[in-house]
């Protein structure tokens, strides 16, 4: 270990928000009662750090810190703890922090357990314990509430690395450090300490392996002390077996057989009783409690003993009919090149009749490459390993494999495949501009010898251009002839000067010579508004979902090269139909797009391959067939899960989220997007995750959750700006603006939307900005900025006249009504509602009814206004648009009308804590006074009061006081359903 890099102390705890909230709840509760909590986590996850934070945060009384100590001392400390608790009874609150409580001996743990029971009568005492998570919780603590520490998420680990290195790490080095650390903060810091400044900045090669035995022993070696030789052999064999397993657990029977091979014939048969503490047995499956201890066991074992364990496993598995894991273990039992074994290993990895996951095949190809002596063969196998890693949803693993392949001489075809994998990797988890160039290069290198792979590269390059918002590049890539970066869309179809980013042809008025396209079925944007066919498409295969329009198809869907033995790619007919249909869409010729894309939908109705189903869902969304898209998306999700395809699951969920939003099923859309976000983060697809966040922000923007909108918008924009995801950025900004508009903040909404829709270099993504025009017009009118709406409204009128979306006509009429003089506005509002009735869609119709009701109320037409506002409220309630429903309730109250049971019943929507705060505020208390009365922080009062205002639809403390007063006079039965 070089140990040349000085690692500074992190200035804050990264992640751990859930765990800190649990500890904070314990500390706040000590004002009135005793409590206890156990913090469990694997070595290096920060148990001690969390206890230190709790001790620093506690200000209400003294803090007593206890450590393990020697056994006799531990018993004395535990016994003395009871006396300390007795003395503390009736005094100021006391916090007792016990670190590494699992190291106390059994009598001491029993005494500590009795101390916990004594807390009920010991006054206000808090007991905070930390125990190891790499072993089962001791029975003395098993009945206590436990909060578990998990590995940091990639963004959290990335922030920690920036914090301790001041951002000095080279991007490639940064990625390797994050992958190697696997979210363990202590391991990450140990890895950084190992590197010299030159290595950290990428000026010198990194040491290999990066996390060697010394680093792992430094972080987790203490968990392996005091183990017998038999326990070490069992643990080593389990750790070795997991390396060639598809999951974290392994079958116990082969492990015991292998352990028997390791020991002398005269030794007693191996047994699982007693089981070493770091291991767990579930049924007939063995696993470690945590991955770091498993890695440490394997890395710190003596090399000859480690090779012997792999050899024993190879003998057992090969004789048991498990060729791929058996060969892997055989290879790990050897040192140096082994060409014959490498050939066998690569052949079995390529055999599709051998059951194995993409992850295991990637491991096999990589090991075969390490055992291969000649350069071209090594390059080909490293490339195949990278392909499999990408299929497994591990772009972070694919990148170093591609780097290894680059260091070997290889023919053009292999280099083209490597460039294709590199481009697809960046498309999902990197700058999409870089992805576009890599994919174009791959297409040119593969065109002659691998036309199917070249087709994959071309369609994915178009996808990257779309993600970046580069319309000319997208059209050029989809052209029948080889793509040229200088091609531009036909100026007849653009509406901006040459110095501006061109608007998409399909959103402008079609040329006069074009035949009117057939009226497609309705398509909806994530907010329920109609969208241009192809504007706002769901995710595509092989792409960053984060940068695609809210309904456009994925030209690359289902066309990526799989792996040896899989289909080489789509048929020439499919490739041609996708390219022709997509280009026709971009040129605004829906009649020419419908036929080829319709064939894509029909061809896959009976297909069960997830890639083909994703392509079908993409085309169905493009054509406006939401039901077909939902069916194809659901089938794709089921197929991807059945195949264990971690790379495809996040994108299948994205199709479903879009389709549910368009169908007006906001809760289902949110459910799919939340799961999609989790799976995308697990699969290392940050671009896909960013797009899921944008979808979640759009869904939350109609609900009563401004904090949720802000959180998702911030996270989506962070990735979008770093990776050039123009469409994700536009959707996220639109979501933030719509949340402002729903909360009655038109000035903020107009400012945000103006940047998206007004002409200029900062205008939003070409396929999204027009969708935000109705929101912009509404916000501008409410903010008194009518003059800003002229140019964009004329452009939106062109789009509405295109006839591809009935909602656009209704939205246009609403916009005209907002801008019209009183003698014309009435008819325009009625016309807009009639068009909504034709097109359907609760949310957009309710928005128009709300604006019409407001207009009628201000014209002193209360009877008509009450009817329109009641219809708006019903529509908002039906689609879950809580923040908009609050506006409608406020308008109804201004008319003196009760909304859905009146104001008394409205208080039943509050939680007990919200109700307490509302009553205190209604009595005239300030936020600080409420905080002191309820023994909470002012920040907590602020948070709950915002929730109260949103739930009740009030905008001032005076309105809140009136509502509470009305509720109090409505009788005990109607005061509230939430008791304080």
């Amino acid at each position: 270990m070089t140990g040349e890099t000085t690692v500074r102390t992190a200035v804050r705890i990264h992640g751990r928000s859930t765990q800190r909230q649990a500890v904070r709840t314990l500390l706040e509760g000590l004002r009135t009662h005793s409590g206890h909590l156990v913090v469990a986590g694997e070595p290096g996850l920060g148990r001690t750090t969390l206890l230190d934070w709790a001790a620093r945060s506690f200000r209400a009384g003294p803090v007593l810190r206890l450590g393990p100590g020697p056994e006799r001392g531990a018993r004395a400390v535990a016994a003395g703890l009871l006396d300390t608790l007795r003395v503390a009874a009736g005094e100021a609150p006391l916090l007792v922090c016990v670190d590494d409580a699992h190291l106390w001996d059994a009598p001491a743990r029993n005494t500590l357990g009795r101390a916990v029971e004594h807390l009920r009568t010991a006054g206000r005492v808090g007991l905070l314990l930390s125990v190891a998570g790499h072993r089962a919780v001791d029975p003395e603590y098993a009945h206590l509430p436990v909060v578990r520490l998990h590995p940091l998420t990639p963004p959290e680990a990335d922030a920690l690395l920036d914090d301790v290195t001041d951002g000095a790490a080279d991007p490639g080095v940064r990625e390797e450090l994050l992958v190697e650390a696997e979210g363990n903060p202590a391991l990450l810091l140990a890895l950084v300490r190992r590197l010299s400044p030159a290595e950290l900045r990428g000026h010198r090669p990194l040491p290999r392996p990066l996390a060697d035995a010394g680093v792992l022993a430094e972080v987790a070696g203490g968990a392996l002390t005091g183990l017998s030789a038999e326990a070490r052999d069992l643990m080593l064999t389990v750790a070795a077996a997991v390396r060639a397993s598809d999951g974290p657990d392994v079958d116990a029977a082969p492990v015991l057989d292998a352990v028997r091979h390791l020991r002398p014939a005269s030794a007693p048969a191996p047994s699982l009783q007693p089981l070493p503490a770091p291991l767990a047995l579930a049924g007939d499956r063995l696993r470690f409690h945590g991955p770091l201890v498993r890695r440490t066991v394997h890395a710190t074992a003596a090399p000859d003993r480690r090779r012997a364990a792999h050899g024993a496993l190879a003998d057992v598995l090969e004789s048991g009919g498990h060729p791929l894991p058996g060969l892997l273990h055989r290879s790990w039992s050897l040192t140096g090149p082994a060409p014959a074994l490498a050939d066998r290993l690569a052949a079995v990895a390529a055999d599709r009749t051998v059951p194995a996951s993409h992850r295991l095949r990637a491991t096999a190809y990589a090991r075969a490459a390490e055992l291969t002596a000649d350069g071209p063969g090594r390059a080909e196998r490293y490339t195949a390993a990278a392909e499999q890693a990408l299929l497994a949803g591990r772009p972070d693993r694919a990148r170093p494999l591609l780097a290894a392949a680059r260091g070997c001489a290889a023919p053009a075809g292999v280099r083209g495949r490597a460039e294709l994998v590199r481009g697809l990797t960046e498309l999902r988890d990197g700058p999409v501009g870089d992805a576009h160039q890599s994919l174009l290069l791959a297409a040119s290198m593969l065109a002659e010898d691998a036309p199917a792979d070249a087709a994959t590269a071309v369609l994915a390059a178009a996808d990257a251009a779309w993600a970046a918002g580069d319309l000319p590049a997208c059209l050029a890539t989809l052209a029948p002839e080889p793509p040229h970066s200088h091609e531009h869309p036909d100026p007849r179809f653009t509406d901006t000067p040459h110095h501006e980013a061109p608007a998409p042809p399909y959103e402008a008025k079609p040329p006069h010579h074009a035949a009117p396209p057939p009226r497609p079925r309705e398509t909806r944007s994530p907010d329920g508004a109609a969208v241009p066919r192809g504007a706002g498409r769901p995710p595509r295969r092989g792409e960053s979902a984060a940068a695609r329009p809210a309904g456009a198809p994925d030209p690359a869907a289902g066309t990526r090269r799989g792996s040896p033995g899989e289909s080489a790619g789509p048929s020439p007919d499919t490739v041609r139909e996708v390219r022709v249909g997509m280009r026709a869409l971009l040129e605004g010729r829906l009649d020419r797009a419908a036929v080829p894309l319709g064939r894509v939908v029909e061809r896959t109705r009976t297909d069960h391959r997830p890639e083909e189903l994703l392509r079908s869902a993409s085309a169905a969304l493009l054509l406006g067939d939401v039901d077909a898209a939902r069916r194809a998306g659901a089938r794709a999700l089921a197929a991807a899960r059945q195949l264990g395809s971690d790379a495809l699951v996040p994108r299948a969920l994205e199709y479903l989220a879009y389709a549910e939003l368009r169908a007006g099923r906001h809760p289902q859309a949110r459910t799919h997007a939340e799961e999609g976000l989790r799976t995308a983060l697990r699969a290392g697809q940050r671009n896909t995750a960013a797009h899921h966040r944008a979808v979640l922000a759009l869904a939350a923007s109609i609900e009563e959750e401004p904090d949720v909108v802000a959180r998702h918008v911030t996270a989506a924009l962070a990735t979008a700006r770093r990776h050039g995801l123009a469409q994700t950025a536009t959707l996220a900004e639109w979501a933030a603006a719509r949340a402002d508009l729903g909360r009655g903040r038109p000035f903020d909404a107009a400012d945000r939307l103006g940047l998206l829709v007004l002409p200029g270099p900062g205008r939003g993504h070409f396929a999204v900005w027009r969708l935000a025009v109705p929101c912009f017009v509404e916000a501008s009118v409410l903010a008194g900025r009518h003059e800003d709406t002229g140019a964009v409204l004329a452009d939106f009128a062109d789009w509405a006249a295109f006839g591809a979306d009935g909602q656009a006509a209704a939205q246009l009429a609403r916009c005209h009504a907002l801008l019209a003089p009183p003698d014309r506005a009435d008819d325009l509002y009625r016309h807009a509602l009639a068009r909504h009735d034709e097109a359907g869609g609760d949310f957009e119709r309710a928005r128009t009814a709300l604006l019409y009701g407001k207009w009628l109320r201000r014209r002193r037409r209360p009877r008509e206004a009450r009817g329109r506002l009641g219809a708006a409220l019903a529509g908002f309630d039906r689609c879950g648009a809580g923040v908009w429903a609050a506006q409608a309730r406020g308008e109804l109250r201004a008319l003196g009308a009760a909304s859905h049971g009146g104001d008394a019943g409205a208080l039943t929507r509050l939680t007990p804590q919200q109700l307490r705060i509302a009553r205190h505020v209604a009595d005239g208390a300030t936020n600080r006074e409420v905080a002191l009365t309820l023994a909470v922080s002012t920040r907590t009062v602020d948070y709950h009061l915002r929730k109260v205002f949103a739930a009740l639809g009030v905008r001032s403390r005076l309105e809140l006081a009136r509502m509470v007063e009305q509720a109090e006079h409505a009788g005990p039965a109607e005061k509230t359903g939430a008791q304080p």
Side-chain angles (χ1 to χ4, degrees):
M1 296 176 62
T2 59
E4 297 178 28
T5 296
T6 300
V7 179
R8 69 174 195 169
T9 303
V11 299
R12 62 186 179 91
I13 297 178
H14 294 268
R16 310 297 183 230
S17 58
T18 301
Q19 293 82 3
R20 281 186 291 169
Q21 181 56 47
V23 173
R24 190 179 292 113
T25 300
L26 170 69
L27 301 185
E28 292 179 352
L30 295 183
R31 298 174 183 273
T32 58
H33 58 271
S34 295
H36 44 261
L37 185 67
V38 175
V39 177
E42 194 179 20
L45 290 183
R47 302 192 310 267
T48 301
T49 300
L50 190 60
L51 261 64
D52 290 342
W53 174 83
R56 292 194 306 271
S57 302
F58 189 62
R59 296 286 185 269
V63 177
L64 176 62
R65 300 294 300 266
L66 300 177
E71 290 189 4
R72 182 174 299 176
R75 282 195 294 273
V77 167
L81 178 58
L82 292 174
D83 294 333
T84 302
L85 297 180
R86 292 188 183 98
V87 172
E91 299 178 359
L94 171 69
L95 175 63
V96 181
C97 295
V98 184
D99 203 5
D100 289 336
H102 61 283
L103 297 181
W104 291 28
D105 66 355
R109 293 197 302 269
N110 284 328
T111 305
L112 188 58
R114 291 198 302 272
V116 172
E117 293 298 323
H118 179 74
L119 290 179
R120 298 174 182 173
T121 58
R124 296 171 294 167
V125 179
L127 187 60
L128 185 61
L129 312 179
S130 82
V131 300
H134 65 274
R135 46 177 285 167
V137 176
D138 294 302
E140 295 83 359
Y141 310 138
H143 65 288
L144 303 179
V146 177
V147 58
R148 296 192 177 276
L149 299 177
H150 302 288
L152 299 178
T153 65
E156 292 165 351
D158 193 47
L160 172 61
L161 183 57
D162 269 342
D163 194 358
V164 299
T165 64
D166 285 327
D170 170 80
V173 173
R174 169 190 298 274
E175 183 162 6
E176 287 206 49
L177 288 170
L178 295 176
V179 170
E180 200 69 22
E182 293 185 330
N184 188 293
L187 180 55
L188 179 61
L189 299 182
L191 291 172
V192 174
R193 281 195 299 270
R194 184 186 184 196
L195 302 183
S196 68
E199 290 167 342
L200 186 66
R201 289 171 171 79
H203 299 156
R204 292 181 57 190
L206 296 177
R208 302 294 180 188
L210 191 54
D212 65 359
V215 171
L216 293 171
E218 174 189 343
V219 178
L224 307 182
T225 58
L227 296 170
S228 66
E230 291 77 12
R232 287 182 176 277
D233 278 345
L234 177 60
M235 291 167 57
L236 173 59
T237 308
V238 173
V242 169
R243 293 188 71 195
S245 172
D246 280 332
D249 58 353
V250 292
D251 191 352
V255 168
L256 291 176
D257 286 346
V259 173
R260 189 178 298 110
H261 281 67
L262 279 176
R263 295 180 180 175
S266 59
S271 171
L272 298 180
Q273 298 299 330
L275 194 66
L279 293 179
L281 179 66
D284 59 353
R285 308 287 292 180
L286 278 168
R287 65 176 178 86
F288 280 83
H289 283 287
L292 181 63
V293 174
R294 184 194 72 232
R295 293 172 63 187
T296 305
V297 166
H298 190 268
T300 57
D304 57 344
R305 197 63 176 170
R306 185 168 58 239
R307 289 193 295 270
H310 282 296
L313 285 165
D315 293 337
V316 171
L317 292 171
E318 287 177 340
S319 63
H322 303 284
L324 188 55
L327 284 171
L328 268 171
H329 285 297
R330 184 71 63 197
S331 73
W332 287 322
S333 70
L334 305 177
T335 59
L341 181 59
D343 292 343
R344 289 175 58 201
L345 190 55
V348 174
D351 187 351
R352 306 310 300 171
T353 65
V354 175
S357 67
H358 295 301
R359 188 197 69 81
L360 193 57
R361 293 183 194 277
T363 302
Y365 276 123
R367 183 58 179 154
E370 293 169 358
L371 298 174
T372 302
D374 67 290
R378 285 170 65 90
E380 202 283 333
R381 286 167 180 171
Y382 274 129
T383 300
E387 290 172 338
Q388 291 296 319
L390 193 61
L391 287 168
R394 293 302 303 267
D396 55 327
R397 298 290 185 188
R399 288 189 178 97
L401 292 167
L402 292 172
R406 192 185 302 120
C408 308
V414 173
R415 288 186 283 114
R417 281 173 52 199
E419 201 65 39
L420 173 57
V421 176
R422 184 173 296 107
L424 292 174
T425 299
E426 295 303 307
L427 192 55
R428 300 171 190 175
D429 190 53
V432 290
D434 296 351
H436 179 68
Q437 295 303 321
S438 288
L439 292 163
L440 287 180
L441 177 59
S444 65
M445 297 173 73
L446 295 168
E448 184 174 350
D449 296 329
D453 285 345
T456 295
V458 167
L459 296 183
D463 182 39
W466 192 306
D470 190 342
L471 177 62
C474 192
L475 284 167
T477 305
L478 291 169
E481 65 276 1
H484 300 287
S485 61
H486 62 271
E487 180 175 336
H488 293 281
D490 190 327
R492 293 176 299 173
F493 301 132
T494 61
D495 59 357
T496 59
H498 293 297
H499 64 275
E500 295 179 2
Y506 62 84
E507 291 183 352
K509 194 170 182 177
H512 296 295
H513 62 270
R519 180 68 174 249
R521 295 179 62 178
E522 176 183 332
T523 302
R524 301 200 175 285
S525 71
D527 68 342
V531 299
R533 209 58 69 226
R537 68 177 200 281
R540 5 180 140 164
R541 175 162 173 54
E543 100 168 330
S544 131
R548 61 180 109 345
D554 173 7
T559 61
R560 172 179 38 71
R561 179 186 177 92
S563 60
E566 290 184 308
S567 173
S571 68
D573 287 344
T574 299
V575 173
R576 183 177 62 253
E577 286 162 354
V578 171
R579 290 179 69 168
V580 169
M582 190 65 189
R583 187 176 175 90
L585 171 79
L586 291 172
E587 292 174 342
R589 302 178 180 182
L590 296 185
D591 53 334
R592 299 188 182 185
V595 173
L597 293 174
R599 290 185 186 132
V600 173
V601 175
E602 288 298 324
R603 187 178 294 117
T604 55
R605 286 190 183 276
T606 58
D607 204 309
H608 298 287
R609 292 171 293 175
E611 298 92 339
E612 300 300 306
L613 290 167
L614 288 177
R615 189 190 309 127
S616 174
S618 172
L621 282 167
L622 172 64
L623 297 174
D625 192 344
V626 177
D627 290 337
R630 290 176 57 223
R631 287 194 300 270
R635 290 174 58 207
L637 178 60
R641 284 172 170 164
Q642 192 274 330
L643 293 174
S645 178
D646 294 334
L648 292 177
V649 167
R651 296 195 294 281
L653 286 164
E654 203 170 7
Y655 280 101
L656 278 173
Y658 272 118
E660 298 290 8
L661 280 171
R662 294 180 184 179
R665 302 168 184 263
H666 292 83
Q668 294 93 324
R670 184 169 182 173
T671 298
H672 287 132
E674 286 172 343
E675 185 182 357
L677 175 60
R678 290 191 296 269
T679 57
L681 290 174
R682 283 200 301 267
Q685 298 177 7
R686 286 176 293 179
N687 293 354
T688 308
H691 199 267
H692 275 297
R693 288 191 185 278
V695 172
L696 287 168
L698 280 166
S701 69
I702 72 169
E703 301 172 4
E704 298 172 282
E705 300 180 284
D707 296 337
V708 175
V709 176
R711 184 173 73 250
H712 287 307
V713 166
T714 299
L717 288 177
T719 302
R721 288 164 180 161
R722 290 179 63 179
H723 292 174
L725 308 176
Q727 190 244 351
T728 290
T730 304
L731 288 176
E733 292 283 8
W734 181 20
R738 195 171 67 178
D740 286 336
L741 190 58
R743 295 169 64 198
R745 298 164 59 180
F747 289 93
D748 293 339
D751 289 340
R752 285 183 183 272
L753 292 166
L755 295 175
L756 295 183
V757 307
L758 293 177
R763 176 177 269 180
H765 189 277
F766 61 78
V768 179
W769 72 263
R770 280 178 175 79
L771 305 181
V773 166
C775 286
F776 173 69
V777 171
E778 180 178 343
S780 297
V781 170
L782 295 177
R785 303 178 185 173
H786 300 66
E787 66 280 359
D788 293 338
T789 63
V792 293
L793 190 58
D795 186 85
F796 188 76
D798 285 340
W799 161 239
F802 197 28
D805 182 7
Q807 281 287 354
Q811 291 172 317
L812 178 64
R814 182 175 75 207
C815 291
H816 283 314
L818 282 165
L819 294 165
D823 60 331
R824 294 189 55 229
D826 204 346
D827 289 339
L828 286 169
Y829 275 123
R830 292 176 184 273
H831 176 63
L833 290 171
R835 298 305 299 265
H836 281 305
D837 290 338
E838 295 174 7
D842 288 333
F843 179 64
E844 285 299 316
R845 192 190 192 286
R847 286 180 67 180
T848 299
L850 173 62
L851 290 170
Y852 189 20
K854 288 181 177 181
W855 184 87
L856 289 168
R857 185 176 73 82
R858 284 155 180 77
R859 297 299 178 282
R860 302 182 183 278
R861 295 161 64 178
R863 185 183 300 274
E864 295 171 86
R866 187 176 294 111
R868 298 301 181 186
L869 292 170
L873 178 57
F876 289 137
D877 281 342
R878 190 156 75 170
C879 65
V883 68
W884 297 85
Q887 282 197 39
R889 289 190 183 96
E891 291 292 324
L892 285 167
R893 280 197 303 275
L895 284 170
S899 60
H900 292 288
D903 293 336
L907 296 188
T908 63
R909 294 192 296 275
L910 301 183
T911 67
Q913 183 75 319
Q914 289 171 354
L915 181 60
R916 293 186 193 102
I917 291 172
R919 283 174 170 164
H920 285 296
V921 170
D923 289 338
T926 66
N927 288 11
R928 180 175 176 80
E929 291 169 342
V930 175
L932 291 173
T933 302
L934 298 181
V936 298
S937 68
T938 305
R939 198 169 166 188
T940 299
V941 174
D942 293 341
Y943 171 79
H944 283 299
L945 197 54
R946 287 197 301 271
K947 293 288 188 181
V948 169
F949 276 44
L952 301 182
V954 297
R955 302 182 185 180
S956 69
R957 300 169 87 93
L958 181 59
E959 275 191 76
L960 175 61
R962 288 173 179 167
M963 178 174 287
V964 172
E965 183 181 4
Q966 290 173 6
E968 297 293 343
H969 287 87
E974 292 183 345
K975 283 185 180 180
T976 179
Q979 297 302 319

